[in-house]
Amino acid sequence: MATATASATTDEGALADLQREHGPALLTFLQGLTYGDQMRAEDLLQETLVRAWQHPEAFDGPYESMRPWLFTVGRRLAIDARRSRLARPTEIGDGVLATTPDPADLTETAVAVLDVRAAVESLSPEHRAVLIRLYFQGLNVKETATALGIPAGTVKSRSYYALRALSRCLPGYARARTALGHRGA
């Protein structure tokens, strides 16, 4: 193959011959590296050929065929592209953004507060007192039992039934799975 060693790039004819001779095999190889992604493989093939165009000295190498050099360059480009994709956060489509509530919009929060307040008010005074101390005041089971003057087992029982009643009153909300045993006994 002839090269234009006087210029900084490979002769167009030599590059066309290179693509014709090794292009299909290199594309198949790159498709395997990209898990069958045709578009990525074609981009990598094009970038590999650009590298061959930019490095005419590769044509003067001691090997008989350019195929090993092309495959090495293509493999390295595929590895670099994969690392680059993994380093960036995953892109999301407009559909996700359309269904994601705006954090600056407090309407959803206000509605949720009103719903929870109404649901808590619908509980019996005994159940409400236990939940207020456990979840709103941050007391543990033992502290709640002492504050209300009831046994710890009764606190656990009332909180269990109160949460079940709330889940029936608030069917559209995700049910929190808080183990009372982790809040302290």
Side-chain angles (χ1 to χ4, degrees), residues 76-166:
R76 288 180 181 163
L77 288 170
I79 290 168
D80 289 347
R82 178 163 164 62
R83 286 179 182 161
S84 177
R85 276 192 316 280
L86 293 176
R88 288 192 308 250
T90 305
E91 295 178 12
I92 57 174
D94 293 339
V96 173
L97 293 176
T99 60
T100 304
D102 182 8
D105 183 14
L106 300 177
T107 307
E108 292 293 325
T109 304
V111 170
V113 166
L114 292 173
D115 288 348
V116 170
R117 185 175 290 159
V120 170
E121 289 297 320
S122 73
L123 297 173
S124 71
E126 296 84 13
H127 289 112
R128 186 171 46 248
V130 167
L131 286 189
I132 287 172
R133 283 171 180 76
L134 286 174
Y135 293 97
F136 298 108
Q137 294 177 357
L139 300 179
N140 63 29
V141 173
K142 186 176 180 181
E143 294 166 338
T144 301
T146 302
L148 295 176
I150 58 176
T154 303
V155 169
K156 291 178 183 180
S157 175
R158 286 183 184 172
S159 66
Y160 172 78
Y161 287 109
L163 290 174
R164 282 187 60 189
L166 286 179

Side-chain angles (χ1 to χ4, degrees), residues 21-67:
E21 185 178 344
H22 302 292
L26 182 58
L27 181 61
T28 302
F29 173 70
L30 293 171
Q31 282 176 323
L33 293 178
T34 59
Y35 303 103
D37 188 336
Q38 180 73 22
M39 290 174 48
R40 275 204 183 115
E42 288 174 358
D43 288 345
L44 291 170
L45 173 65
Q46 183 176 8
E47 184 61 31
T48 303
L49 293 173
V50 167
R51 298 289 170 93
W53 177 69
Q54 292 172 335
H55 296 280
E57 69 276 3
F59 287 83
D60 297 331
Y63 28 82
E64 294 177 18
S65 173
M66 284 292 294
R67 190 171 285 198

